Amino acid sequence: MPPNNLKLVEKIIKLKEKRNAIILAHNYQRDEVQEIADFTGDSLELSRTASEIKCDVIVFAGVNFMAESASILNPDKTVLLTEKNAGCPMADMIHVDTPRIERKSFPGFKNPPPFIFPAYYTLRDIQAKYPDAPVVSYVNTTADIKAESFICCTSANIIKVIESLPDEIIISVPDRNLSAWAQKHTKKKIISWDGFCHVHERVTVDDISRARKEHPKALIMAHPECRLDVLEMADCVTSTSGMLRYAKSSSEKEFVVGTEIGLMYRLRKENPDKTFYPLRKDMICPNMKMTTLQSVYRALSENTFVVKVPEYIRIPAQKALDRMLEVS
Ligand code: 13P
Ligand code: SF4
């Protein structure tokens, strides 16, 4: 680590103790940010940790919806998002009652699967069409969408969450790819929103074919935010922490990693005897990479950027998150 970073790390540790703070980091964060974190995990693990944590301040190295969830679960704690503009474009693709995204702005929109709900509708429009269907919202949504949802889910538990409901028709928002993956694993009818993660959406079946050719001995792991045709060709489809567990427990030595490249840090650190290849080198989420050690230090020293969800949204949103945490 460069000497300047070492000094910064020391300052962060001191401030963290002084403020009784905990740093939570998503698996896609920069290596040095993951290194300084008290806990690094996937969205489900981070939500669970946030619900159990004992501290005064939570510093969230991730994107906005994650810090919002931490705040929803901890109304009495100070929750800080390390970078103000670290958002999730997929979370911003769905709105409760004001459509802000033009249908034409969705790249790759041609021939969507028939169960996909057009993106220029609002959540209220879908609810009006399927009034009895519960809304299952991926945690990659804003707090007001969570507040309108019956239950939340993550990529690690969506199928368990859907199967836990008595209903036969389910509204699933906002990721069309995660919904398609869930549809493949349930007999229930999934009505999906048409959002997607641009980092995972870019993966094609050609990338998988090329990876098989270049690394014939490797197992291919893919995140369920990838397209269904890609997922059907992978050896393992799972969340980021699911990939960590899969690689660790496998007797194989080589793996192709079909998710944001930040995960490579933990995969390599926790499995020094194994080799990991990115499925595509450009699987980089610019929002996840905004946070630096400097931003973590600034968060603690300047109390930036406070994330606080108003009570009228927080209370119903917490119900949806709590229901998810009870199921999984
Ligand atoms: P998980 O870590 O839950 O798999 O989530 C991936 C993701 O895209 C978070 O933004
Ligand atoms: Fe959103 Fe995709 Fe970035 Fe995750 S990786 S924060 S889903 S844009």
Side-chain angles (χ1 to χ4, degrees), residues 26 28 43 62-66 86-91 138 140 175 196-200 223 225 259-260 284-288:
H26 187 264
Y28 293 160
S43 308
V63 290
N64 188 274
F65 73 81
M66 297 179 170
C88 168
M90 174 161 67
Y138 193 23
N140 299 37
D175 186 0
F196 58 88
C197 162
H198 67 103
V199 180
H200 292 86
H223 195 279
E225 288 174 14
T259 195
E260 213 272 355
I284 299 171
C285 175
N287 287 280
M288 283 285 183

Side-chain angles (χ1 to χ4, degrees), residues 23-26 29-38 40 61-62 82 265 291-296:
I23 302 172
L24 301 183
H26 187 264
Q29 288 291 297
R30 289 170 188 269
D31 301 359
E32 63 276 19
V33 174
Q34 293 195 40
E35 197 58 52
I36 189 80
D38 295 286
T40 308
T82 43
Y265 174 67
T291 295
T292 60
L293 283 180
Q294 193 61 49
S295 1
V296 176

